[in-house]
Amino acid sequence: MQRELRSVRPRHDDPELPDDITSQDLDRIARNELKTLSKDNAEAVGRHLAMAARVIDEDPELAHRHVLSAARRAGRIAVVRESLAITAYATGDFALALRELRTYRRISGSNDQLALMVDSERGVGRPDRALELGRSVERASLPASVQVALAIAMSGARLDLGETEAALSELEIPQLDPKTAFSYSAELFAAYAEVLAELGRDDEAELWNERAERADAAVSGVTDFDETMEILEIDEEESDEEESNDTDTDTDDSTDDSTDDDTDDDDDDATDVSDEESANDADDSTDEAEHDAQASPRA
């Protein structure tokens, strides 16, 4: 008796796409990768990727379904496999994320998602493998933002193993500079504060948490990732002495006006954040702005 052959591929229904979403919502690098596809297919794939980027924070499961739809149409495109890994990670499927990240790395030749690979190894319960993977690539060859993300992931793996002092050392990298703020600084400062707290160094942890908040405030609203912010800090004791001296020397209305002006200037120095172009990181940072896939698919 002849049997009907049926596909064993699991059924997948494409999630609905709103009319306002187009492939043009993707960044330029992602759109360029899709040019190897037919025009209609590139548009369909691009729309699903763009929709995944739109909803991943609110509904990672829906984002994952959209990327699955894209992967069925363009499984050999690096950005598609990268996005599939990111949405799998967001849904907690670390084994799938790790598999897709390996595929993305093989197709693209890029180590930009190394930190996510390390974290996925942690997710499947292999912190030792995570550390081995993180050490397999020369840190200096990575963009600054990837170095920071990798340091945080490696620190987490150390914590998984109960190596708290080593976890702190993993975070003591050149980017741990409280006087400047990049897009990645707040997360790095906060991770450092968390490990300090684990070590019982609460005063230092509080200080670094404050620095994390200050860095986050400094870069909020900044759209160009090649901009670095200098955070000016004033020694509190020195500031108090200056205020005390100003109070003692007040003798007339003219002096009061001058003192008020000086005090205002000091306050501005304590909270003002000035923009500076970072020549050394300009090239890396431009790539980050266009290829920022640390937490969500490209959009």
Side-chain angles (χ1 to χ4, degrees):
M1 180 177 179
Q2 187 176 6
R3 295 184 178 179
E4 181 182 357
L5 295 178
R6 296 182 180 179
S7 173
V8 296
R9 192 175 189 179
R11 178 184 175 86
H12 175 79
D13 294 324
D14 291 343
E16 184 178 352
L17 286 165
D19 293 337
D20 67 330
I21 199 84
T22 74
S23 63
Q24 294 301 308
D25 295 321
L26 294 175
D27 67 38
R28 178 178 55 83
I29 295 177
R31 293 199 307 272
N32 284 342
E33 288 190 40
L34 300 183
K35 286 182 178 179
T36 58
L37 305 174
S38 68
K39 183 177 179 180
D40 289 344
N41 196 28
E43 179 63 21
V45 170
R47 292 183 72 197
H48 280 294
L49 292 182
M51 189 62 187
R54 178 185 290 186
V55 303
I56 188 170
D57 291 333
E58 296 78 21
D59 193 342
E61 293 286 351
L62 177 58
H64 189 58
R65 288 177 56 208
H66 276 289
V67 180
L68 282 173
S69 294
R72 286 173 175 266
R73 293 175 170 85
R76 296 184 180 181
I77 303 297
V79 66
V80 175
R81 304 307 286 265
E82 179 186 28
S83 298
L84 187 56
I86 291 168
T87 56
Y89 179 89
T91 61
D93 192 342
F94 303 115
L96 176 59
L98 190 57
R99 187 185 76 193
E100 293 301 322
L101 286 167
R102 287 170 179 159
T103 303
Y104 163 72
R105 191 185 193 188
R106 185 175 66 251
I107 293 174
S108 68
S110 171
N111 286 311
D112 284 356
Q113 292 293 357
L114 183 61
L116 201 61
M117 294 180 72
V118 170
D119 235 17
S120 295
E121 287 284 9
R122 292 180 59 209
V124 296
R126 298 193 295 247
D128 287 323
R129 289 275 296 274
L131 292 172
E132 182 181 351
L133 176 61
R135 291 191 294 263
S136 68
V137 175
E138 179 62 38
R139 296 284 182 95
S141 68
L142 302 171
S145 63
V146 179
Q147 292 183 39
V148 169
L150 180 58
I152 293 172
M154 295 285 280
S155 178
R158 294 288 189 184
L159 288 176
D160 293 342
L161 294 170
E163 301 172 359
T164 314
E165 289 286 354
L168 192 69
S169 297
E170 292 285 357
L171 298 171
E172 292 172 341
I173 57 178
Q175 291 83 3
L176 190 72
D177 182 357
K179 294 183 180 179
T180 58
F182 290 88
S183 58
Y184 48 72
S185 297
E187 186 177 4
L188 176 60
F189 296 171
Y192 195 64
E194 182 179 350
V195 181
L196 286 169
E198 287 284 334
L199 290 168
R201 295 159 60 175
D202 295 335
D203 290 343
E204 294 175 79
E206 184 178 356
L207 175 62
W208 280 96
N209 273 323
E210 291 174 358
R211 287 169 172 169
E213 293 175 4
R214 191 179 300 124
D216 184 55
V219 300
S220 61
V222 176
T223 57
D224 295 327
F225 281 79
D226 59 351
E227 291 189 50
T228 177
M229 317 296 284
E230 181 180 2
I231 303 178
L232 305 180
E233 298 187 26
I234 289 182
D235 185 84
E236 292 181 1
E237 293 182 1
E238 180 179 326
S239 179
D240 291 341
E241 290 177 2
E242 290 178 358
E243 290 180 3
S244 177
N245 291 337
D246 287 341
T247 302
D248 293 340
T249 56
D250 286 346
T251 57
D252 52 35
D253 292 339
S254 176
T255 305
D256 288 343
D257 292 341
S258 175
T259 302
D260 289 341
D261 290 342
D262 291 341
T263 304
D264 289 342
D265 289 341
D266 287 342
D267 290 340
D268 288 342
D269 287 340
T271 59
D272 182 57
V273 178
S274 60
D275 295 349
E276 288 185 357
E277 293 292 337
S278 179
N280 292 332
D281 294 326
D283 292 337
D284 289 341
S285 302
T286 301
D287 290 339
E288 291 169 3
E290 294 177 342
H291 188 191
D292 186 6
Q294 297 298 325
S296 64
R298 293 198 188 111

